[in-house]
Amino acid sequence: MTDAKGKAALVTGANSGIGKDVARQLALRPEIARIYLACRNQDRATTAKAELEAETGRRIFDIVLMDVADLGSVRAGLAAIDGSIDALVMNAGVIGPQSMALTTDGVTNVFATNVLGHVALLEGLLAEGRLGKVAVFAGSEAVRGVPRLRMKRPSFVSTSADELATVIDGSYFANRKPDFNLAFGQAKYIGALWMAYLARQYPGRRFITVSPGNTTGTQAPSDLPLPMRVAAKYVMPALGLAHKLDVGAKRLVDGVTDPTLSSGAFYASAANKLNGPMVNQADFLPDLANPTFQDNANEAIHRFIT
Ligand SMILES: NC(=O)c1ccc[n+]([C@@H]2O[C@H](COP(=O)([O-])OP(=O)(O)OC[C@H]3O[C@@H](n4cnc5c(N)ncnc54)[C@H](OP(=O)(O)O)[C@@H]3O)[C@@H](O)[C@H]2O)c1
């Protein structure tokens, strides 16, 4: 983003956790004049808006009701937004056993929430000429697997559009036990490939995937089985393997504001780390820089945009 005044930002999943703190940190920047809080629940959004106004002393927050797991709701939310969005932060996400269920669009909830709704949102803004310079997608270290959390690394036979589509509609797990951790990593992997595809199509804009890293103080562990919940909330912070909410949120804010980050790249913690400085993941995940895989991800996704 430039230093010009009067910029508008939109953050999905802005009523709690990282998304809410991204909204807070963006509001502290004088060039930001409007922040849309895209949330699925009016009461939670209203509470968050009041807290953000009190914390930042700025009354620049507008609620947009949007369930990103529902394409119809995304489009209705899009229609309710006035003007252009200079900075789009696609933060809403879910993980957990319930996220394997299918939505009315025939997509797993984990894919719909983390990726598909954001595709409809971003591409809707692009089609209407209302997307400004930068879009940031919340990635995850799960893209490369996290052995410490027993999260398997997503791996594919051919990474064809047909194969990636099986992730999106859940048929990947038709003949095996559903693994919600793997499905989460797969969704973030396909999302990062899609962002890299967009970066090639629109060289004048910046499409950055950023993982907040292992971040405490969010609601994310609440849908996880008890042992994982305990590990995420207590064990990992005690072992220094997680950082605080403002640190994780700042990574996404850096995605918006740091012009040295390369469009199309995915930034996350260094190899075998879950916190600390961010590095470009293509250094050790060359698949992410493969244009054929990026095209395949884009094609697979668009089979489900109805
Ligand atoms: N925390 C971490 O360690 C970590 C690590 C890597 C990546 N991430 C990613 O960072 C992002 C934020 O995670 P978080 O830890 O802040 O989680 P969180 O506290 O659970 O926040 C998730 C936000 O997304 C919203 N959301 C969920 N489903 C939605 C839907 N269908 N429509 C609209 N909003 C929806 C939630 O709203 P409700 O209150 O309505 O549920 C909530 O505001 C996610 O994409 C996550 O995958 C987090």
Side-chain angles (χ1 to χ4, degrees), residues 209-223:
T209 301
V210 173
S211 171
N214 198 15
T215 304
T216 57
T218 84
Q219 304 302 312
S222 51
D223 290 335

Side-chain angles (χ1 to χ4, degrees), residues 65-76:
L65 271 187
M66 183 183 291
D67 181 343
V68 292
D70 173 349
L71 293 177
S73 172
V74 171
R75 290 183 181 124

